[in-house]
Amino acid sequence: MQAEFIRIYNENPNPREIQRVVEVLRKGGLVIYPTDTVYGLGCDITKTKALERIARIKGVKLDKANWSFICADLSNLSDYVRQIDTPTFKILKRALPGPYTFILPGNNNLPRAFKNKKTVGIRVPDNAITEALVEGLGHPIISTSIRDEDDVIEYTTDPELILEKWQNLVDIVIDGGYGGNVPSTVIDLSGFEPEVVREGKGSLDIL
């Protein structure tokens, strides 16, 4: 199996190309896609076999994996997150869409593979391709960054190099142009006070 390489322009994603990727996601395929930070590896959050494939690739157990959900906007938050207070919601509104991952308290509606999780990471990237994919699919996709073995580079930014490395592991690599090499800022909002877990591309001024 060799991955399909699809060029999609972030300024104006082609609906036909988006639909091709959505169909692969619906069938349990794995996709590498651009975000507003680094390129991500993902699948439909409801496809357990696809999630298991990603876990094997990443060398982790599925029940121990800390992956985020890529959402199109905040409207589906209540599907997966317990009710949050007004100050927390204001932080989310200020920051999203943007280069942040927010850890929030999960609710009982999480997909089967995540049932034992008390928290869930939520991403709403400022990227038209990911937004179109999630809207086309109708629910979130998984987000886990594709790291490079090179300690200096850390994240591969060239889609053609990504294809070279991943073509036998995934079903589609989207060429959305050069990616970034700084990951999202991760902020835990599941406790009493916001806790910065990782400083990345997103500014902390939103807190």
Side-chain angles (χ1 to χ4, degrees), residues 74 77 84-95 189:
L74 292 175
L77 212 57
I84 53 178
D85 58 25
T86 302
T88 300
F89 190 72
K90 281 183 175 172
I91 291 173
L92 298 177
K93 285 287 282 181
R94 275 198 297 273
L189 296 178

Side-chain angles (χ1 to χ4, degrees), residues 149-186:
E149 275 77 40
D150 189 316
D151 289 335
V152 178
I153 298 171
E154 198 165 4
Y155 297 98
T156 307
T157 60
D158 183 340
E160 292 195 4
L161 293 178
I162 292 171
L163 176 69
E164 205 174 283
K165 180 182 172 185
W166 290 83
Q167 61 187 339
N168 297 317
L169 295 170
V170 301
D171 301 284
I172 287 180
V173 174
I174 296 175
D175 175 2
Y178 276 84
N181 59 3
V182 179
S184 64
T185 290
V186 181

Side-chain angles (χ1 to χ4, degrees), residues 125-147:
D126 187 9
N127 182 283
I129 296 170
T130 47
E131 183 183 345
L133 287 177
V134 174
E135 284 181 345
L137 187 63
H139 50 258
I141 54 177
I142 278 297
S143 171
T144 176
S145 54
I146 52 168
R147 298 178 75 89

Side-chain angles (χ1 to χ4, degrees), residues 28-39:
L30 305 192
V31 173
I32 289 175
Y33 55 89
T35 71
D36 53 356
T37 56
V38 300
Y39 267 81

